[in-house]
Amino acid sequence: MTQTDVIFIDDEDSIRHAMAQTLSLEDLGVACYADAPSALRQIDPDYTGVILCDYNMPGMDGLELLDQVQAMDAAIPVIILTGQGDISTAVSAMQRGAYDFIEKPFDHDELIELLRHALEKRHLALENRRLKAQLRQLARPGPRILGDSPAMQKVIATVEPLLDISANILVFGETGSGKDALARFIHENSPRSTHNFVAINCGAVPENLIESELFGHEAGAFTGADKRRIGKIEHADKGTLFLDEVESMPLALQVKLLRVLEERKVERLGSNTPLDVDVRVIAATKSDLKQLSDEGEFRADLYYRLNVVKVDIPPLRERKEDIPVLFHHFVLIAAARYDRESVPLDAEQAARLMQHTWPGNVRELRNLAERYVLLGAPALDETGVAVSDNVPGRRTLSEMMDAFERSAIVSALNACQGSLKDTMVQLGIARKTLYDKMKKHGLDKAEFRE
C-alpha cells in the first residue's frame, strides 16, 4: 500500500512528469501511473491520499476506475480531469461519487487547493473511522492492550489469531506486567465474552481450600460444607478460566486439573456425578514451567496441555516507548475516579519516567499515575530518577535518543490534545519536521484527541 498524498494517472508520459514536478514543489507526495489497473494495485481501504486521474485513458477509463475505488472505499476522494467537451461526463462522474472534476487546461492554484481540501477530507474520514473503532473497543467491558512498541505489537500479533478459537494459552511475564489484563482482553474479545471470566490466584488460596475453590463440593463433603458450592471450573463453563500463578498449584491438584482438561468433565467434591464443562484455560506464570517440570516441581503433562500457545509479556523496562501513553491512560482513569484534573506530563517529566527501571512494571506505573493525580509532580520523585541521571540500561545511545524523542512528542501531543499547530509551538519545530518525526515513531494525532 502506498503512503503518498496523491496518486496521479495519465497515459501521457510528459503530463505525468509535469504533474510530478508540480505536486512535489507543493510538498505533496505523488506516485504516477500510466494506466488505471497499475494504480489500483497500490490502493486499499487504508490508503491515506487522493486519486487524480484523467478521464480519457485506454483500457480502463476514469469512470471505471472510479467505480472500482468506490467499491473498495467510497471515502477515497477521486478527482477527474476532463478535456473540453467532457462536462456532461464529469457531471455523471460526480453523480457516481467523484469528489470533483477539473477541466483542462486547469488553474495551478485551483488544483492545489482542491487536492489539499480532498486530503483533509480523507484524513478526517480515516480519523473518524479510527475513533469509531476505538469507541467500540472502549464500550466493551474489560481492559485494552495499550502500547505501540515492537514488543507489544508482537504480543498483539500473537494474540489476535487466538481470539476466535478456544486453545489454551500460557502467559509468561514478570509480576505486574499485565498478565491478568491480557487474559481479560482475550476473553472479552472472544466468542466466550457473553459467559463468565473466572479468575483464581493459585498462590493466594490456602492449599487445603484450593481444591474446593476449583472443583466445588456437595453439602456434607467435608466438615463445614453445609451446602453445595459451585467451583470455579464449573462457574467458567462456556467462558474462560484464568489460573494466575499456576506454578503454585499443588502437584496432587495438578493431576485432577489435567483430567478435567482432557475429559472436559468435572466432579464436585463429595459427588460421583461428572458434569460436562466447556472452558478455555488461560494460565499465567512468572516462573519457567518447563524448568520446573524438568525438576519434578510441576507436572510435565499439565505443562504441555496448558502450553498450547505461549505468550510472553515483556517487562516495562523493555518497552519504555509505551510509558507515556500508558501513564496518560492511567492518569485519565485516576482523574475520573477522584474527580481531579488530568495534567499532562512535560518533556522533562516524561524523560524521568523513561529512565526509571520499573521493577513493579505496569502496576507500579499505574500506582504512580494515581499518586500523580492526587499529589501532583512531587509524586514523580518516588521514581528516584533525576532527569540528568544516566541510566543507559541495555540500550544504545541512539535507541535512548529515539525513545526520548518519541516520549517528548507523545507528551506534547497529549498536552495539546492532538493539535499539531499547538504541538509545533510547544516543541519549537516546523510542521514538516513534526510530520516526519510522527511518521518515524508511528504516531497518529487522532489517538491524542479527547
Side-chain angles (χ1 to χ4, degrees):
M1 180 189 69
T2 181
Q3 294 297 326
T4 54
D5 296 316
V6 181
I7 286 180
F8 177 60
I9 312 162
D10 196 292
D11 58 317
E12 294 189 30
D13 182 68
S14 59
I15 295 179
R16 293 197 305 273
H17 182 71
M19 185 65 75
Q21 285 188 326
T22 297
L23 298 184
S24 295
L25 289 173
E26 294 292 337
D27 201 23
L28 292 171
V30 58
C32 297
Y33 298 92
D35 58 85
S38 298
L40 282 171
R41 286 193 288 270
Q42 307 304 316
I43 303 168
D44 65 19
D46 293 324
Y47 174 55
T48 60
V50 179
I51 299 171
L52 177 65
C53 71
D54 189 24
Y55 166 65
N56 288 307
M57 294 184 294
M60 183 185 297
D61 65 21
L63 290 184
E64 293 177 280
L65 170 74
L66 173 63
D67 290 340
Q68 293 214 25
V69 173
Q70 285 277 300
M72 184 186 304
D73 183 354
I76 297 177
V78 178
I79 300 172
I80 305 290
L81 291 174
T82 66
Q84 291 181 349
D86 288 335
I87 300 302
S88 61
T89 303
V91 172
S92 174
M94 295 289 290
Q95 292 172 341
R96 291 162 70 166
Y99 180 79
D100 210 334
F101 67 90
I102 290 187
E103 185 178 355
K104 298 178 182 177
F106 53 82
D107 179 83
H108 171 273
D109 293 335
E110 179 185 351
L111 174 63
I112 298 303
E113 183 179 4
L114 182 61
L115 288 173
R116 293 197 187 281
H117 286 165
L119 269 174
E120 184 177 351
K121 181 178 180 181
R122 178 58 178 164
H123 293 163
L124 181 61
L126 290 174
E127 286 178 9
N128 287 338
R129 190 177 299 171
R130 283 190 290 267
L131 287 172
K132 287 179 180 178
Q134 290 174 5
L135 287 173
R136 285 195 297 269
Q137 187 178 10
L138 285 169
R140 299 180 65 92
R144 295 174 293 145
I145 299 180
L146 295 176
D148 295 322
S149 64
M152 284 309 295
Q153 290 303 308
K154 182 179 179 181
V155 171
I156 294 172
T158 302
V159 165
E160 282 187 340
L162 308 177
L163 297 178
D164 293 332
I165 60 177
S166 295
N168 295 333
I169 299 174
L170 180 62
V171 181
F172 175 81
E174 295 180 3
T175 299
S177 59
K179 299 186 290 293
D180 178 270
L182 179 62
R184 291 179 184 274
F185 173 84
I186 294 171
H187 172 77
E188 295 295 347
N189 290 276
S190 74
R192 295 176 174 267
S193 61
T194 55
H195 299 279
N196 293 327
F197 176 87
V198 181
I200 182 170
N201 188 318
C202 301
V205 181
E207 186 171 339
N208 62 325
L209 296 179
I210 189 170
E211 184 174 6
S212 174
E213 282 290 313
L214 279 173
F215 293 89
H217 60 255
E218 297 287 352
F222 51 84
T223 302
D226 300 327
K227 58 183 180 179
R228 173 185 290 176
R229 176 184 173 85
I230 301 299
K232 300 291 188 184
I233 297 174
E234 188 177 346
H235 189 52
D237 185 35
K238 296 182 175 61
T240 302
L241 177 67
F242 177 55
L243 301 175
D244 199 7
E245 296 189 28
V246 70
E247 72 275 8
S248 302
M249 183 178 290
L251 285 170
L253 194 58
Q254 292 179 28
V255 178
K256 295 186 176 183
L257 176 61
L258 178 63
R259 186 178 302 118
V260 171
L261 297 181
E262 291 178 341
E263 300 177 0
R264 297 293 173 178
K265 295 180 182 295
V266 64
E267 290 184 15
R268 303 188 192 112
L269 296 181
S271 171
N272 294 318
T273 304
L275 303 171
D276 293 331
V277 288
D278 172 19
V279 295
R280 175 190 218 167
V281 176
I282 301 178
T285 181
K286 60 181 181 294
S287 304
D288 185 341
L289 289 189
K290 179 63 170 62
Q291 180 179 343
L292 291 179
S293 66
D294 292 341
E295 296 171 354
E297 297 183 24
F298 195 88
R299 290 190 63 92
D301 44 9
L302 178 59
Y303 164 71
Y304 289 112
R305 175 65 68 174
L306 294 173
N307 189 28
V308 176
V309 179
K310 185 181 180 186
V311 180
D312 293 315
I313 301 182
L316 194 55
R317 63 181 175 275
E318 293 181 6
R319 55 181 186 111
K320 289 191 173 182
E321 53 266 57
D322 291 336
I323 290 173
V325 173
L326 286 167
F327 189 82
H328 181 65
H329 172 71
F330 293 138
V331 163
L332 290 177
I333 293 175
R337 178 184 303 158
Y338 298 117
D339 194 23
R340 295 289 186 90
E341 181 183 1
S342 61
V343 180
L345 296 174
D346 60 32
E348 290 187 356
Q349 292 169 335
R352 178 177 297 185
L353 298 186
M354 296 284 285
Q355 291 174 341
H356 186 46
T357 55
W358 300 105
N361 290 294
V362 177
R363 184 178 298 145
E364 180 185 359
L365 181 68
R366 183 186 63 215
N367 292 341
L368 180 63
E370 290 197 6
R371 292 193 293 274
Y372 174 75
V373 169
L374 296 173
L375 304 176
L380 302 181
D381 295 337
E382 298 176 27
T383 62
V385 177
V387 175
S388 60
D389 285 352
N390 181 19
V391 188
R394 288 178 286 178
R395 297 190 298 174
T396 65
L397 176 61
S398 176
E399 290 172 335
M400 288 189 290
M401 292 295 290
D402 282 345
F404 175 77
E405 180 179 80
R406 188 181 194 279
S407 71
I409 296 172
V410 167
S411 295
L413 285 166
N414 277 327
C416 301
Q417 297 184 7
S419 169
L420 297 187
K421 181 179 179 181
D422 293 342
T423 302
M424 290 160 46
V425 173
Q426 179 165 324
L427 295 176
I429 58 178
R431 178 179 292 272
K432 188 175 187 305
T433 303
L434 178 59
Y435 278 143
D436 290 343
K437 291 186 180 298
M438 287 177 64
K439 184 177 180 180
K440 170 185 174 183
H441 296 296
L443 300 174
D444 188 328
K445 64 180 181 180
E447 299 173 1
F448 302 91
R449 291 183 174 174
E450 297 180 2

